[in-house]
Amino acid sequence: MRINVTVNGIAYEKDVAENRTLLRFLREDLGLTGTKEGCGAGECGACTVFFNGKTVNSCMVLAVEANEGTIETIEGESSGGMLSRLQEAFDRHHAVQCGFCTAGMIMSARELIHHTPHPTVDQIKEGLEGNFCRCTGYEQIIEAVLDVTGGYTAKEELIHV
Amino acid sequence: MIHQFSYTAPTELTDLLTLLETVGPGARLLAGGTDLLVNIRNGLVKPNTLVDVKRIPEAHAIMSDNTKGLRIGWAVTINDILRNSDIASSYQLLQTCAHDLASYQVRNRATVVGNIVNASPCSDMAPALLCLDASVEIASSKAYRTVPVRQFFTGVKRTVLKPDEMVIGITIPIQSKGAKGKYRKLKRIQGHDLGIIGVAVARVGDSLRIAVSSAAPTPVATGALPLDITDSEALAAVDALISPISDVRCTKEYRRFMVSEFTRRLLAEVRS
Ligand SMILES: Cc1cc2nc3c(=O)[nH]c(=O)nc-3n(C[C@H](O)[C@H](O)[C@H](O)COP(=O)(O)OP(=O)(O)OC[C@H]3O[C@@H](n4cnc5c(N)ncnc54)[C@H](O)[C@@H]3O)c2cc1C
Ligand code: FES
Ligand code: FES
């Protein structure tokens, strides 16, 4: 099926197989490999992107469903070669180790901050519950989100987040 | 995904119902896809046509009416339920259960209707819908009927739906407006996880309702119980409803024990 879809502000017209996931379409047809495939079944969140303004697991969306829609991925997060504030905070707090979860984490964190500009630690945990990280232990990720939302004070206070 | 299928996304309900009739059993309706696409990926279902139900505007409507109660369209997502202010003020148990379903991103896609049509014993929306006496609106190209959620499930992953039928809405009667309830789901971790068991207890008007997930082939619920029922009578009523099994998650004895334990705790909370 032929689809029209806008990804990170760029309009594409492409032929795509009906059984192709949005994730594979982004990675393999558009070459946007920032978005990762972990489980392929909705569990891990590595594939999280924005679809018509809401975060989704792109491994559980068909590319054809995105016809006439808008997608935003990690490739659209920085602008003019400059990291976003959220990306800078992830860097500053060492919230990235292997980086496999990071694209999805940034997407979910952005959605959380959009709905809850000043989240508590519990709200951050809930907003990111669909994103697994096997490296950091989450603490640095929570700190990074607190930092961009004005809730970060001293590290000592955050022990056992 | 290896399995191949065609895809169509009608923009009128009448077209959708006609399609369902003409394509026959090889057609599958695609709502949020969080059950269906995973099942196709795992080779459990092999439809030849996916019919997307989300492109019809009325599918997304949530309507709250002071005489008729609440109506939820067939493509309303779990996060739509969580963001709706009428539901927050008058049908709070729906939000309590919605909150416990999957993760944030999954809730952005997963629909309430998909959750009950999937008919998993561990459905998290079913306990709320059962307690609130919800009904399911079912349509085909030829007929329309409503079935109480109580009679909708017929077994594990089975419902009363016929191949040419679809669910076009869920209604909650005005009598359930203002009901207060709690839901408690036993999970292995604090984050998102399917339930080991779940119990909802609600006070609806001057009666109590108790619903249980993951402890029988379908989600189950008591009828209206008197408010002054003793704990032991209520626990006996719940115990008679369930028929838990042992599986990878836990034993049937543990399930039975935890259903009882959660019911006892929730009764105290709902009564206070
Ligand atoms: C990672 C993950 C975690 C999950 N956690 C939970 C959880 O904690 N609790 C829980 O209850 N569930 C959970 N689920 C299951 C799932 O998300 C829910 O059951 C969801 O509500 C299904 O809705 P959907 O819109 O995605 O359905 P779909 O997958 O689109 O459809 C489900 C079934 O319903 C049929 N269908 C859809 N719409 C209609 C209609 N209008 N009429 C007739 N048939 C229709 C489809 O053909 C399909 O057979 C989880 C799933 C995943 C992937
Ligand atoms: S790859 Fe999509 S949730 Fe894991
Ligand atoms: S940084 Fe490696 S999984 Fe999160």
Side-chain angles (χ1 to χ4, degrees):
Chain A
M1 186 174 138
R2 174 147 295 216
I3 62 168
N4 288 290
V5 56
T6 302
V7 183
N8 299 327
I10 302 169
Y12 295 88
E13 188 173 343
K14 290 265 181 192
D15 280 315
V16 61
E18 281 77 0
N19 65 352
R20 199 155 185 75
T21 61
L22 176 60
L23 173 62
R24 291 291 173 94
F25 172 73
L26 292 169
R27 286 181 55 85
E28 293 169 16
D29 297 350
L30 302 188
L32 297 172
T33 53
T35 306
K36 306 298 183 211
E37 176 159 10
C39 62
E43 299 280 350
C44 75
C47 66
T48 306
V49 301
F50 280 87
F51 173 22
N52 292 343
K54 290 178 184 166
T55 48
V56 297
N57 304 94
S58 62
C59 68
M60 287 194 306
V61 177
L62 298 174
V64 289
E65 288 183 81
N67 188 23
E68 315 286 332
T70 311
I71 306 291
E72 291 155 70
T73 69
I74 190 66
E75 284 87 351
E77 180 70 19
S78 62
S79 66
M82 300 290 284
L83 296 180
S84 69
R85 284 185 62 231
L86 193 55
Q87 286 173 311
E88 279 178 356
F90 267 58
D91 179 22
R92 203 164 46 245
H93 288 271
H94 304 288
V96 181
Q97 283 186 30
C98 79
F100 198 84
C101 71
T102 311
M105 283 288 180
I106 298 266
M107 296 293 106
S108 289
R110 205 167 95 194
E111 165 103 348
L112 168 73
I113 295 167
H114 174 73
H115 287 286
T116 316
H118 302 288
T120 62
V121 169
D122 279 344
Q123 286 170 324
I124 296 173
K125 284 188 190 172
E126 194 182 316
L128 301 182
E129 76 178 328
N131 294 79
F132 294 173
C133 177
R134 296 288 90 143
C135 302
T136 64
Y138 300 101
E139 203 162 324
Q140 298 92 318
I141 294 170
I142 294 169
E143 284 171 15
V145 176
L146 282 173
D147 196 351
V148 286
T149 54
Y152 182 67
T153 45
K155 189 170 169 69
E156 295 74 60
E157 291 176 28
L158 291 168
I159 289 179
H160 305 307
V161 292
Chain B
M1 245 174 268
I2 303 163
H3 179 69
Q4 294 189 2
F5 43 80
S6 65
Y7 168 88
T8 167
T11 52
E12 301 275 349
L13 181 58
T14 45
D15 296 343
L16 206 169
L17 292 171
T18 312
L19 251 171
L20 209 51
E21 190 187 0
T22 48
V23 182
R28 273 299 180 114
L29 299 178
L30 174 68
T34 63
D35 282 313
L36 183 60
L37 294 179
V38 176
N39 286 339
I40 295 176
R41 179 177 181 272
N42 294 339
L44 298 174
V45 284
K46 296 188 161 74
N48 56 33
T49 304
L50 290 196
V51 183
D52 193 332
V53 300
K54 301 185 293 292
R55 297 258 169 175
I56 302 167
E58 72 237 45
H60 302 273
I62 298 177
M63 285 180 295
S64 179
D65 181 298
N66 275 333
T67 49
K68 290 190 220 136
L70 186 75
R71 183 175 187 280
I72 299 166
W74 68 88
V76 166
T77 66
I78 307 296
N79 271 346
D80 290 339
I81 296 284
L82 286 166
R83 293 202 189 101
N84 185 280
S85 55
D86 289 326
I87 296 181
S89 59
S90 303
Y91 303 94
Q92 150 275 326
L93 185 60
L94 281 176
Q95 290 196 338
T96 308
C97 289
H99 208 258
D100 251 328
L101 190 146
S103 64
Y104 188 87
Q105 299 95 303
V106 174
R107 293 198 286 270
N108 266 344
R109 288 268 293 174
T111 61
V112 182
V113 167
N115 189 242
I116 61 160
V117 174
N118 190 49
S120 162
C122 66
S123 156
D124 282 315
M125 292 312 290
L129 296 170
L130 285 166
C131 283
L132 298 177
D133 261 337
S135 291
V136 186
E137 292 182 28
I138 298 172
S140 69
S141 60
K142 297 186 208 72
Y144 169 89
R145 60 181 177 137
T146 63
V147 174
V149 173
R150 230 162 247 285
Q151 290 158 25
F152 183 71
F153 305 114
T154 53
V156 179
K157 307 249 162 193
R158 287 164 56 165
T159 70
V160 299
L161 284 180
K162 301 194 192 96
D164 66 336
E165 286 182 325
M166 69 173 277
V167 175
I168 57 164
I170 297 177
T171 50
I172 295 178
I174 194 71
Q175 290 78 358
S176 297
K177 189 178 176 181
K180 289 267 176 288
K182 301 238 173 184
Y183 181 56
R184 199 181 269 253
K185 175 176 169 184
L186 181 66
K187 302 185 281 190
R188 294 167 300 180
I189 52 167
Q190 262 186 33
H192 75 94
D193 195 11
L194 292 177
I196 295 171
I197 55 110
V199 180
V201 177
R203 185 179 169 156
V204 185
D206 52 10
S207 67
L208 281 177
R209 311 288 165 97
I210 305 170
V212 183
S213 56
S214 309
T218 70
V220 288
T222 65
L225 303 171
L227 267 187
D228 57 2
I229 190 170
T230 64
D231 273 12
S232 56
E233 281 168 341
L235 291 174
V238 171
D239 205 59
L241 273 180
I242 62 173
S243 49
I245 55 164
S246 298
D247 63 9
V248 285
R249 288 160 193 272
C250 71
T251 62
K252 58 184 180 209
E253 290 80 11
Y254 183 59
R255 281 205 164 88
R256 200 174 275 285
F257 176 81
M258 288 310 292
V259 167
S260 211
E261 188 55 32
F262 277 10
T263 307
R264 192 195 328 273
R265 289 188 215 170
L266 289 172
L267 275 172
E269 287 173 30
V270 168
R271 280 178 165 147
S272 69

